[in-house]
Amino acid sequence: MKRNESETNPASTNQEEEVSRSINSTRCHQGIHMGIYGWRKKCLYALILVLLFMVIVNLALTLWVLKVMDFSSNGMGQLEIIPGGLRLKGNAFVLENLVASQIRSRRGEPIVVESSRNISLKSRNKRGYLSSYIHLGVDRFECSTNRFHILDDRGQAVFSADRNQVTVGTDSLRITGEGGTCFKGSVQTKLVRAETGHDLRLESSTRGLQIRAPRDLLLESRGGHVSTIALNDVSFKSEVGAIHLQSSSVMVPQLPTAKVTNRPMTARSFDVFQLCACESGKLFLASPHAVCASENEDGLCR
């Protein structure tokens, strides 16, 4: 009876075999342990130790740099961050270009800009083109600009120069030098005066010398004499007024003396003569007792 039941139920037998197989496989899987063992585990620990060492060294170097550079919440060392800019308490060495809108020293202390070769200051306009340029070299100073002004502490112009004219705003312009000063063009001034204890000399070595004034022209020497020397002619001309020679004595030496024909000359010599003038303006001397005239052959008025 039992044999017949086993033969008649093959499906139940198959189910029992599958259940036993699953139980055995579960037991096998539960006996396996997952992980890293052997040389792989040692390499992982070594890598972790190397990374930890690098992190410690990097942190130590960072702290050392912060200590050496003196970093703080206010700035770095002698360089402090203030509202509107930076403040430097010591010297600054600039290796390349320095771009700033304003550079000024602390109150009561000077500012010194020093270079081993040259110093160049450049200014550009709104379009970026160069407008002004200052170059301080080893043995030269160059300035390129349209207008150049020098002002005093009151804001008044002491010296200004542009393409048309050069203006000196001081009370007096003093020029020293043994060779004097050479002007290629004209000079307009209201007073030309020599230094105390020295002579004033106006000279043109190859051409003429002209002195003009819109109103009065005064030649004065308070401690010496006035001398006018020329190779050809010396002309004093006044369009409307007169020429005044104000002195205790006016001497015109080497004037020619006219020969009078209407009256015979006596043997007596005279120390006083007449000063005669031709129509052309030439001067000559004549006898005090004769007519202020000369013979035609003298050629005094030619």
Side-chain angles (χ1 to χ4, degrees), residues 8 19 48 103 125 135 188 217 240 265 284 294:
T8 56
V19 170
I48 293 174
I103 300 175
N125 54 16
H135 177 79
Q188 182 177 357
L217 178 61
V240 179
M265 294 290 296
F284 64 92
S294 64

Side-chain angles (χ1 to χ4, degrees), residues 40 54 125 147 185-186 209 212 218 220 222 229 286 289:
R40 292 185 179 88
M54 293 179 64
N125 54 16
R147 292 183 298 273
S186 60
L209 178 63
R212 297 180 180 179
L218 176 63
E220 181 181 4
R222 298 182 180 180
I229 302 174
H289 303 291

